[in-house]
Amino acid sequence: MKILKIDHLGIAVKSIEDARKLYEEGLGLHFEGTETVAEQKVTTAFFPVGDSEVELLESTADNGPVAKFIERRGEGIHHIAFRVENIEEALKELKVQGVKLIDEKPRMGAGGAKIAFLHPKATFGVLIELCERD
Ligand code: ZN
């Protein structure tokens, strides 16, 4: 598998509108607008940072994965996303190596990316996302 770069850092927040002020006005990053991924019960907001991005995640439902994360661990870093050249190939390789996966097949994430999560039990406490996009 070929990892190209850190694509983005996912940060769980209770309110994108509240957090946006810090990233936009405080840190001077460009706010690219929000996108809701209904299937994951999450609204995302992307802020490009050099060759990577910060992704703010706000839950759209009390029982969504991001809401549950905040309940357990509070707001903060939720996942790290590596951009790969070929996500299907990467998942196949990890499976052969016996790495536990949440997604054995890629699904659609924000911005038209193909994404898949590794199981946190296999990643030493850091949720890892693989993503492939053009
Ligand atoms: Zn992400």
Side-chain angles (χ1 to χ4, degrees):
M1 129 174 52
K2 189 168 182 199
I3 289 179
L4 303 172
K5 64 174 189 169
I6 292 177
D7 188 83
H8 63 270
L9 294 174
I11 298 172
V13 297
K14 289 178 185 161
S15 160
I16 284 177
E17 184 157 323
D18 290 350
R20 179 182 163 180
K21 287 190 198 97
L22 170 72
Y23 287 92
E24 198 173 24
E25 293 165 28
L27 299 174
L29 297 174
H30 175 67
F31 172 61
E32 288 208 314
T34 60
E35 183 180 342
T36 296
V37 183
E39 187 209 347
Q40 291 177 59
K41 296 179 181 166
V42 75
T43 296
T44 65
F46 278 95
F47 299 83
V49 182
D51 205 26
S52 299
E53 296 187 83
V54 165
E55 174 188 35
L56 299 183
L57 304 154
E58 177 188 328
S59 191
T60 58
D62 289 343
N63 63 350
V66 169
K68 284 189 204 150
F69 175 89
I70 290 175
E71 219 176 86
R72 279 198 314 268
R73 299 172 68 167
E75 294 176 295
I77 294 203
H78 177 264
H79 65 270
I80 175 168
F82 293 117
R83 189 183 296 190
V84 294
E85 215 166 51
N86 183 325
I87 194 165
E88 282 88 358
E89 225 168 69
L91 291 172
K92 233 181 270 168
E93 270 180 51
L94 289 167
K95 215 179 156 185
V96 168
Q97 289 173 50
V99 177
K100 213 171 169 198
L101 305 171
I102 292 179
D103 302 301
E104 301 213 341
K105 284 189 181 130
R107 50 183 152 126
M108 290 309 277
K114 289 199 268 184
I115 66 166
F117 285 95
L118 275 56
H119 199 285
K121 276 186 182 157
T123 56
F124 303 89
V126 177
L127 184 59
I128 292 178
E129 172 188 333
L130 301 180
C131 80
E132 178 191 331
R133 64 173 106 215
D134 305 321

